[in-house]
Amino acid sequence: MLPFALLTFCALIQGSLGDVKRDGQLRLSETDLLKELSDKVQGRLYAGLPYAQACWSSFNSSACESVKTNYLNETSRFDTFGGHINTQWETCQATGDQCLLDWEDPLDPAPTSSQSCQLGSISDHYIDVREPGDVAAAFDFSRKSGIPIVVKNTGHDYKGRGSAPGSVALWTHNLKNISYNPQFVPEGCVSPSPGVTMEAGVQWGEAYEFAEANNITLVGGLDKGVGTSGGWLMGGGHGALTNTMGMGVDRVLQFKVVTPDGKLRVANACQNEDLFFALRGGGGGTYGVVLESTVLASPPVTLQVYVVQWTKPNATLTSSLWSLLVENGLKWGEEGWGGFVNDVSAIYLSPNLDAVRANASMAPLIAFGEEIVERGIEGATLLVLQFPSWGAFFNTFAGDNSAAIGANLALASRLIPKANFQTAEDRSQLLSALLKAHDLTPGLRFLVSPPTSYPGDGSTSVTPAWRDSIYHITLISTWNWNATEVQKKEQYQLASRAISYLRDITPDAAYSNEADVYEPNHEVAFWGDNYDKLLQIKQKYDPEQLLDCWHCVGWNPNSRRFACYL
Ligand SMILES: Cc1cc2nc3c(=O)[nH]c(=O)nc-3n(C[C@H](O)[C@H](O)[C@H](O)COP(=O)(O)OP(=O)(O)OC[C@H]3O[C@@H](n4cnc5c(N)ncnc54)[C@H](O)[C@@H]3O)c2cc1C
Ligand SMILES: *[C@@H]1O[C@H](CO)[C@@H](O)[C@H](O)[C@H]1NC(C)=O
Ligand SMILES: *[C@@H]1O[C@H](CO)[C@@H](O)[C@H](O)[C@H]1NC(C)=O
Ligand SMILES: *[C@@H]1O[C@H](CO)[C@@H](O)[C@H](O)[C@H]1NC(C)=O
Ligand SMILES: *[C@@H]1O[C@H](CO)[C@@H](O)[C@H](O)[C@H]1NC(C)=O
Ligand SMILES: *[C@@H]1O[C@H](CO)[C@@H](O)[C@H](O)[C@H]1NC(C)=O
Ligand SMILES: *[C@@H]1O[C@H](CO)[C@@H](O)[C@H](O)[C@H]1NC(C)=O
Ligand SMILES: *[C@@H]1O[C@H](CO)[C@@H](O)[C@H](O)[C@H]1NC(C)=O
């Protein structure tokens, strides 16, 4: 991290800070404004640097060795300001400016000999956020300078909303406090519930560890690195327990958030209720910068877990497995099962059935597992397991099921409603669409994680389609460091084309955080009939649009912060 003097120098050599002249008024120069900002944040303003920069100074240096070894390491990426999990968001896709290694072989020296290292869309500067005043100072700076600000937490965003060219970032990663109060009362409310308060930088791996130590259950996703209070929570984050225990937005009791007017506000069911509604599904990076959230803590759960897998991809087997899952999709959804499925495995878990009832419910999957083991299919395995807690399950299964790290990757997804499971014809149409999508993009997964049997309290702002859905289907396409602009576009189009097999047979509904970057009708797909209200609340709290992000509520597609998108 560079102190301010060097930082100014970097800004000059990068030469990419925006124009601050407005209306011919005498204004402080950018350098003066940055100096003022740096003072207000006690010097915690640093230059943004590309994750792999060390490799351009010397490919054999120890600093570059560490970049090469850790290029696909999630922890190393989220611990580094310039690191993003999907690396095209470190680049300027539109100009080709980047500083990427070859993710298929990080030891490959070709990128460093054929390209220069450029900042791409990584923010020119970032604030290591520690207190509300840091955020207020950044809003003030952006208002005076016209320079966009972005919020970067863990860098997991699939739609590039944690970076922007020529911006100043608020890095929330180092806000790590976490505490448990069995009698938490939201400020201004009266009734207590068990609550865990987490600062914005806390990540799910840390939260689950804390939950284990405190004999409680927290509902989060399957990746240790995703943040608990940022994009995940505000954008409709969910996990395998969501079917029975709700989405993140169902379980949040209170936010502390700095709004664009610089005020630290408490949002809960008893004050700033409109903001509370908006933060419960309206998306990250839109209404303010959340500094902490308090979420409901539940008693520990015993999990019945079923795993069926084999090693070698085989279209016949994939089709048989998926057919079985779709046939049982509605029943299992209504019984509370959660799970993860790809073309060679299915993992299902239940927190609410005992072993006998779980076995009865999963009989078709057990029979399938027994059959592939009996037939000697390579690597065929059937496991029937019990875990004493979510944390114990997570520690056993999460490592292998985490998504791709360090690649350039386009994702697309779809929520599949109950309607697609009603008749034999519906189910066969769904299976066929899934298989066709998989033919184009073999990384297709079923996340059995919508709140199918969890009605919610009617005051969240995600699309109501979530509660009517059985699966959240995701698929991906990738490209290498040296892809041309045309080749990158082709990969986004491939993801779009593959998901359109499902789009064609479902209403417009998708998980905003894992949607196609070019999702058609995105307002409806992410928010349904909540959109108009969300837009009004956006205009109330952020009238100058100091916050903005791709396909976010009230976004301005012409903003220069989106100059790097294709
Ligand atoms: C490997 C991987 C696994 C995943 N697994 C799951 C899963 O199991 N379940 C699931 O639901 N989702 C999952 N996701 C999706 C994930 O929830 C989103 O990528 C989410 O946007 C990440 O939020 P973040 O705060 O961690 O990351 P960031 O990329 O840092 O932030 C995401 C967005 O939120 C905004 N934001 C972040 N922090 C704040 C804040 N404090 N205040 C205001 N705005 C903020 C940012 O500006 C940005 O717009 C996964 C993603 C990846 C890459
Ligand atoms: C870097 O290391 C590789 C293998 O260890 C070696 O072949 C190469 O010559 C080295 N390059 C430089 C510039 O030292
Ligand atoms: C990943 O990076 C982290 C932090 O940089 C490090 O502690 C860890 O050992 C690395 N993991 C592996 C498998 O190398
Ligand atoms: C963490 O939060 C708890 C509960 O609010 C508080 O008592 C404690 O002082 C905080 N710790 C730090 C280091 O801020
Ligand atoms: C954990 O909590 C459960 C119920 O909330 C309780 O029955 C159990 O005794 C607790 N276990 C420990 C080790 O405290
Ligand atoms: C796929 O599995 C089927 C059995 O379901 C088997 O007959 C076939 O040979 C396998 N195909 C390949 C390519 O392994
Ligand atoms: C559930 O089924 C598995 C696999 O057939 C079996 O090993 C286990 O004993 C059964 N459990 C119960 C409680 O019936
Ligand atoms: C891209 O780079 C890889 C390895 O670095 C190389 O094999 C491939 O041929 C290159 N592709 C193009 C289109 O240049």
Side-chain angles (χ1 to χ4, degrees):
M1 295 201 281
L2 298 180
F4 182 74
L6 261 178
L7 175 163
T8 308
F9 174 70
C10 289
L12 286 174
I13 53 171
Q14 284 152 4
S16 49
L17 282 181
D19 172 13
V20 287
K21 287 192 294 290
R22 270 195 206 161
D23 310 329
Q25 287 171 358
L26 190 60
R27 302 186 67 89
L28 289 173
S29 71
E30 281 164 21
T31 314
D32 290 339
L33 286 170
L34 280 166
K35 174 79 180 71
E36 182 186 271
L37 177 60
S38 176
D39 289 346
K40 283 195 200 160
V41 302
Q42 282 100 51
R44 277 177 280 99
L45 178 69
Y46 303 98
L49 298 173
Y51 178 81
Q53 193 189 45
C55 294
W56 269 257
S57 309
S58 160
F59 198 67
N60 284 3
S61 63
S62 64
C64 178
E65 289 305 329
S66 155
V67 169
K68 288 185 269 189
T69 352
N70 288 313
Y71 201 73
L72 309 179
N73 175 339
E74 186 182 13
T75 306
S76 163
R77 287 195 164 272
F78 63 60
D79 276 348
T80 309
F81 172 75
H84 290 253
I85 303 302
N86 300 125
T87 51
Q88 80 265 33
W89 306 120
E90 299 170 14
T91 78
C92 190
Q93 300 178 93
T95 61
D97 283 359
Q98 63 181 32
C99 191
L100 299 184
L101 295 184
D102 176 354
W103 62 268
E104 292 178 352
D105 174 16
L107 303 182
D108 173 7
T112 55
S113 53
S114 55
Q115 297 182 340
S116 61
C117 172
Q118 301 286 340
L119 199 54
S121 63
I122 297 168
S123 302
D124 289 343
H125 303 97
Y126 69 94
I127 299 166
D128 176 9
V129 176
R130 303 292 171 138
E131 48 191 65
D134 296 348
V135 180
F139 281 127
D140 191 45
F141 166 82
S142 181
R143 186 178 289 112
K144 287 180 184 156
S145 65
I147 291 172
I149 48 176
V150 301
V151 187
K152 190 208 173 198
N153 184 23
T154 68
H156 277 68
D157 199 72
Y158 282 114
K159 288 157 61 179
R161 296 170 299 177
S163 63
S167 64
V168 168
L170 289 152
W171 194 32
T172 51
H173 180 63
N174 291 315
L175 294 166
K176 288 291 189 188
N177 200 8
I178 174 166
S179 61
Y180 173 45
N181 181 350
Q183 298 284 323
F184 178 81
V185 181
E187 286 176 33
C189 298
V190 284
S191 31
S193 1
V196 170
T197 299
M198 296 178 276
E199 284 191 320
V202 174
Q203 293 162 281
W204 278 115
E206 297 162 326
Y208 293 150
E209 214 172 286
F210 181 85
E212 289 297 289
N214 286 275
N215 192 27
I216 52 174
T217 306
L218 295 175
V219 174
L222 197 71
D223 182 85
K224 66 172 189 225
V226 167
T228 59
S229 300
W232 182 89
L233 179 56
M234 289 180 266
H238 56 271
L241 294 177
T242 287
N243 193 350
T244 47
M245 301 177 74
M247 304 178 77
V249 293
D250 292 320
R251 302 175 58 89
V252 63
L253 303 170
Q254 176 168 291
F255 288 97
K256 289 198 177 155
V257 53
V258 178
T259 42
D261 57 5
K263 291 207 173 91
L264 175 65
R265 294 175 194 266
V266 174
N268 60 35
C270 308
Q271 56 180 308
N272 292 310
E273 294 94 322
D274 56 352
L275 193 54
F276 190 48
F277 166 81
L279 297 174
R280 292 172 78 192
T286 304
Y287 293 95
V289 179
V290 166
L291 293 183
E292 73 176 43
S293 69
T294 304
V295 304
L296 185 64
S298 297
V301 287
T302 300
L303 300 179
Q304 314 298 335
V305 176
Y306 295 77
V307 180
V308 167
Q309 60 186 22
W310 63 93
T311 39
K312 215 166 110 212
N314 176 322
T316 314
L317 285 177
T318 300
S319 173
S320 312
L321 174 68
W322 289 7
S323 167
L324 182 161
L325 303 183
V326 168
E327 286 305 314
N328 290 280
L330 193 56
K331 175 173 181 280
W332 288 345
E334 285 169 353
E335 287 173 354
W337 291 94
F340 317 93
V341 177
N342 63 15
D343 57 2
V344 293
S345 71
I347 301 177
Y348 273 73
L349 63 89
S350 167
N352 62 342
L353 298 178
D354 63 31
V356 174
R357 286 165 66 218
N359 264 10
S361 173
M362 278 292 141
L365 188 65
I366 295 172
F368 181 90
E370 283 169 347
E371 193 197 321
I372 61 168
V373 169
E374 215 161 90
R375 276 167 43 199
I377 302 292
E378 196 178 314
T381 312
L382 164 69
L383 301 172
V384 178
L385 305 168
Q386 210 180 69
F387 288 89
S389 67
W390 168 260
F393 169 81
F394 179 81
N395 291 336
T396 307
F397 284 100
D400 293 341
N401 284 276
S402 185
I405 309 292
N408 300 306
L409 178 155
L411 187 129
S413 71
R414 205 70 179 165
L415 293 176
I416 313 297
K418 291 176 184 170
N420 289 84
F421 296 80
Q422 298 301 326
T423 65
E425 202 184 346
D426 294 331
R427 293 190 294 273
S428 121
Q429 184 193 47
L430 174 58
L431 176 65
S432 148
L434 288 165
L435 292 170
K436 282 185 197 154
H438 172 260
D439 283 346
L440 288 186
T441 50
L444 186 147
R445 295 178 183 205
F446 304 23
L447 287 310
V448 189
S449 48
T452 315
S453 56
Y454 194 94
D457 67 358
S459 58
T460 59
S461 51
V462 291
T463 171
W466 273 106
R467 316 222 178 252
D468 192 43
S469 294
I470 301 283
Y471 299 147
H472 158 49
I473 301 288
T474 66
L475 53 82
I476 57 168
S477 61
T478 60
W479 58 94
N480 208 343
W481 65 277
N482 51 0
T484 61
E485 187 179 324
V486 169
Q487 290 167 331
K488 294 173 200 171
K489 279 187 177 153
E490 279 168 3
Q491 293 309 308
Y492 284 108
Q493 284 157 3
L494 175 63
S496 289
R497 209 160 62 243
I499 208 69
S500 56
Y501 288 113
L502 294 166
R503 267 191 198 123
D504 288 349
I505 59 166
T506 53
D508 281 344
Y511 175 27
S512 65
N513 286 335
E514 295 185 344
D516 188 334
V517 174
Y518 303 100
E519 185 68 34
N521 199 16
H522 71 272
E523 295 92 340
V524 168
F526 306 155
W527 297 291
D529 55 12
N530 291 316
Y531 189 75
D532 291 344
K533 190 169 164 197
L534 284 170
L535 184 59
Q536 280 169 22
I537 301 170
K538 169 71 177 175
Q539 284 156 354
K540 171 176 168 188
Y541 286 97
D542 188 16
E544 296 163 282
Q545 209 164 20
L546 296 180
L547 290 171
D548 197 4
C549 43
W550 186 265
H551 279 192
C552 291
V553 171
W555 77 311
N556 168 15
N558 300 317
S559 164
R560 69 176 157 118
R561 68 166 73 230
F562 305 126
C564 288
Y565 285 78
L566 291 177

